[in-house]
Amino acid sequence: MSIDLSQFHQVFYEESFEGLDVMEAALMELDLNNIDDETINAIFRSAHSIKGGSATFGFSSVSEFTHDLETILDQVRSGKRQFRDSDINICLKSVDCMREMLQLLQAGEDGHTKNSAELKDCFARMLAGEQAELSQAELSQAELSQAELSQAEPLQADLPQIDVPTAAPETTEALSQEAPANVAAEDGVESIWRINFEPSEDILRTGNDVARMFRELAELGQLLSIETQSNLPPFNVLDAEKCYLSWTILFACKKDKCFIEEVFEWVADESNLEVTPAASAQEWHICFVPGENILRSGNEPSRLLNVLSEFGKLHVRVNDKNLPAIRLMDHESCYLSWDIYLHAEQALTEEAIREVFEWVLDESQLSVSRLASASSANEITAVSEVPQAEVAEPADVVPLGSVQNTSQEQQITTPETVQEKPKSKTAVQKKNTETGSIRVGIDKVDNLINMVGELVITQSMLGQLGTEFDVERIPKLMEGLGQLEQNTRELQESVMRIRMLPISFAFSRFPRMVRDLGQSLGKELQLVMIGEQTELDKTVMEKIGDPLVHLVRNAVDHGIEQPEEREASGKPRSGTITLNAYHQGGNVVIEISDDGKGLDKQRIVEKALEKGLITKAEVELLTDEHAFDLIFQPGFSTAQEVSDVSGRGVGMDVVRRNIQALNGTVEINSQKDQGSKITIRLPLTLAILDGQLVRVGTNTYIFPLVSIVESLQYRKELISSVAGGCNVFKLRDDYVPIIELHKIFSVQADSDYLDQALMVVVESDGEKVGIVVDELLAQQQVVIKSLEQNYKRVEGISGATILGDGTVALILDTVGMVKLAGDKFGMANQLAHLKNDDHQNLSSQLTG
Amino acid sequence: MQAQTGTTVSAQAMAGNTQSADVTDLSAEVNDQYLTFIMAGEEYGVDILCVQEIRGWESATPLPNAPSHIKGVINLRGTIVPIVDLRQCFGLEGIEYTSVTVVIVLKVHTDDGDRIMGIVVDAVSDVYSLAAQDMRTAPDLGSAVNTEFIRGLVNVQDKMVILLDIDKLLTLDDVPNVSNLAEQLSKAL
């Protein structure tokens, strides 16, 4: 049977990209002075998974590349290589390179890139260079890596090549006595099982045939003996349809216990079934070669031996061949291995023994084999080819360091290493990227299932009420409906929660970015991230990524000064950039702050004058806030020279536009020489919105509640009309332009006179606008539906929703409405005028 | 597919016994089935596979500044569906909507994917199975009239049926505005 592997490609890519993210994050976390094993392991595991996956799918370019990287990582992990800052750079580059290669493969191209060739050369140099420094004791390890490397890379012909098996003298020797058994293990070792099968009396009535099961067993292996015990009642009470027999079967097969149990699967419920290894007292031989780092991960070999001793008598032989010269010895490493002979008093399975070593299996070599014992021998003499040992571990034994380097095929065949996979998965789960799929915590799904369960109960209750309804049960009905409403709301909330992801998904790219930027700009930077667990809708998250990148880049490039400059002004050499996310009301607030030089108002003003964004007259009246706001204008950049990082004049306006598209706002605060802080406010979700329903004539429209500043009664005496036909309203000290909704939407209002109307003051693009409506209706949460899906964009409308009565209501887009009003009534000029905050000017015009 | 088959059945049921045996003989060489409807006495047909459902008129929410033939949007089981008055689309005089006014909900294929739209017509008429050779291409009516949206003409019982290409018709930027389309077409033939 051939499997079309291409169907798994997508999963492989997704997992690999996630793996790369994990690697990247872990590399960033790595503290060179104090290398944390767990971090190195995380990097290693990801690289290993990618290598295994790519090898399985035949992406040799990636697997070869990853293999080299892994070799280096392995040396780091086993303490053979000093990890330097430059090495981290190379590793980060490799991550980028692998990402690129995977993307190429995804696009259906061959994954070789120029970078990958360069980096591979680099790896080769690293490995070759290291060799000279290595001491004699470590040589075999290094050479092994070299050997592996040279297999993957022919260009390294000048390196010594050593065969893998000979590099492992100690382990091969230690296991030499089991060698034949090990070879047999390849296709499974025969073992003897005792099966006690006591079917219930009724087994025949349910259509089960014991003879068939035995035939099936015979297919699995060899039936050595079948002992039948009959429990026949006196003939006069015998029921011909009942089964009064039970069996004890001695059975030899190469299969696992579960295969035997499977034969009896259908009758297991109604029968007594016992499948036990036939021998009662057993001799086991356990060869345990722990990884060097086993002590660091908090495991205690002596504890393991203690646990083992509970099974029976132990004979332990310690193997110290691996001890390095004393000057090379690391007191935290474990150089010993153990040969253990266990005389078990009770029947034991291999699993039980393996379970003892469960925690160290990942990093250790373990072989467990059963020896034929005197007591069991007489029971199984019937079988000529009695197995000497039972070994599930693959036969080829390689030394410690490279055990994880073995190929993917092997991983799949050994259950222990397969177990390792989910472990690395949980690590991967933390750092999901913005791929097409979403990973949802099981608690959220469970919660959802609970809700649905409750909903079903409510539904059946209401259904019952409906079938036998009478007037007296109306209170019951009301109660049911109330419950239904609650269920629906809870269900809605739970479903929304599924889309929520912690903001760390968007933040995770910054440590790397800040580091790279810092290096390229020669600045010393520190990144502090707070509130990474703040949850945000997935769509919002995807769209906020790019604006955040812009802002962080700006902070690094424009904000933080060069270290010397900082020292001169009495600040610490390294600048700090803080990303802070938290919930506030129905919003998510993201703050990006730096302790750099802050915004220079003078320069902004000069630049704005130069670009013609403001006039000289306006400069005088410009507040800090409004000056800073200028940087959000298109084409504005104060960077002295255009750098790679920022300063091309696109940026802040794009940032603002993107954030506004998400119904969010952005504001900037800055203190000269103290730093700046940019605050982004985003709605929690794009799918639901708190709305204010308003009525104009017969139409219902919805304002997003966040955009409303206040609502007030229309008062004629406060209205003035300015040239161009636009009315303005005096709101305290502000003049606010008025837009009549019915006019711009060409609908019929209650009356054309504004006396009766209400005005909703909304904020649009940072400016206040008064919008005239007939009546304010309820405030409620509405589910946003797209108009564009089946129709097209409508100016002034951001979407639609369905109201409680099933009708459609339109959601207003304040920015669009202002634009519409401008197009329709030439209000653009007035608004632009107002926007520049030339209020003084305007009021003089009004009074004059 | 199932839903569409269901629609076929209901459309046929609505059409009732007006069905003519000669054109609905399914064993014949059938290429396409068309749902036809009446507008101002003329019969028009649309590919039945595009028809999602047929429903009665219900009031739609008007869209601001929309052209007059766009009657607004309705809520079709949670989806916002725009409603086009085909009469006004063709430049015919609009009529008062009653509870028996019919909306045909269609799936329109566009470059940006499928869209669901509703068209308001006077009444649903029949379902015809037509082979491609029964169909005539529309005659050229000169540059004034865009006939791109006409898939073809077919004669059923000596009556002309105009088969519409709704994918083209409903994605036109402008209304075709062909007030006496049928008359013009029969003249041109």
Side-chain angles (χ1 to χ4, degrees), chain A residues 699 701 743-746 785-792 794-795 797 800-802 806-810 820 824, chain B residues 58-59 61-67 70 73-82 84 112-117 173:
Chain A
N699 300 294
Y701 298 103
K743 280 193 184 155
I744 61 163
F745 279 179
S746 321
K785 302 268 179 182
S786 161
L787 262 185
E788 280 146 79
Q789 190 191 345
N790 290 322
Y791 187 54
K792 57 184 180 191
V794 179
E795 191 74 67
I797 300 292
T801 191
I802 294 159
T807 57
V808 180
L810 303 173
L820 196 61
K824 266 203 158 169
Chain B
E58 56 185 288
S59 72
T61 304
L63 292 169
N65 304 316
I70 305 284
V73 286
I74 61 161
N75 161 24
L76 183 72
R77 293 181 295 278
T79 314
I80 307 290
V81 175
V84 178
D112 318 325
D114 289 353
R115 283 182 177 176
I116 312 289
M117 289 180 130
D173 289 334

Side-chain angles (χ1 to χ4, degrees), chain A residues 606-623:
Chain A
E606 278 166 26
K607 194 86 174 184
L609 277 173
E610 185 188 314
K611 302 245 169 189
L613 295 170
I614 48 171
T615 61
K616 277 230 166 64
E618 288 165 338
V619 172
E620 306 288 304
L621 304 161
L622 217 52
T623 61

Side-chain angles (χ1 to χ4, degrees), chain B:
Chain B
M1 262 331 261
Q2 243 175 358
Q4 280 163 342
T5 327
T7 320
T8 317
V9 172
S10 66
Q12 278 170 342
M14 282 182 83
N17 48 14
T18 58
Q19 241 164 14
S20 46
D22 52 344
V23 282
T24 48
D25 184 4
L26 290 169
S27 62
E29 254 187 76
V30 169
N31 283 9
D32 286 311
Q33 281 192 309
Y34 287 87
L35 174 80
T36 64
F37 51 86
I38 308 285
M39 244 175 21
E42 298 298 334
E43 199 168 2
Y44 298 85
V46 290
D47 187 350
I48 205 154
L49 293 180
C50 299
V51 178
Q52 269 215 336
E53 62 182 281
I54 299 168
R55 44 192 295 135
W57 162 258
E58 56 185 288
S59 72
T61 304
L63 292 169
N65 304 316
S68 66
H69 67 279
I70 305 284
K71 298 322 286 179
V73 286
I74 61 161
N75 161 24
L76 183 72
R77 293 181 295 278
T79 314
I80 307 290
V81 175
I83 303 294
V84 178
D85 186 333
L86 215 55
R87 266 177 167 268
Q88 278 169 309
C89 194
F90 281 172
L92 300 169
E93 205 168 298
I95 51 162
E96 188 117 334
Y97 295 146
T98 63
S99 56
V100 294
T101 307
V102 175
V103 176
I104 303 175
V105 179
L106 300 164
K107 187 180 252 169
V108 184
H109 306 282
T110 70
D111 297 339
D112 318 325
D114 289 353
R115 283 182 177 176
I116 312 289
M117 289 180 130
I119 55 172
V120 184
V121 299
D122 292 3
V124 170
S125 160
D126 212 334
V127 176
Y128 299 135
S129 299
L130 300 171
Q133 64 261 28
D134 296 339
M135 211 191 301
R136 265 189 280 171
T137 48
D140 193 2
L141 297 181
S143 59
V145 184
N146 182 0
T147 53
E148 209 187 336
F149 59 89
I150 299 173
R151 187 176 281 184
L153 305 173
V154 66
N155 258 334
V156 180
Q157 291 173 331
D158 294 332
K159 260 192 71 185
M160 186 180 69
V161 176
I162 303 165
L163 303 179
L164 301 173
D165 186 339
I166 54 140
D167 293 354
K168 292 221 172 79
L169 176 65
L170 294 179
T171 51
L172 283 180
D173 289 334
D174 255 332
V175 240
N177 206 356
V178 277
S179 43
N180 44 0
L181 183 66
E183 200 180 306
Q184 284 189 46
L185 283 172
S186 38
K187 255 190 214 152
L189 289 173

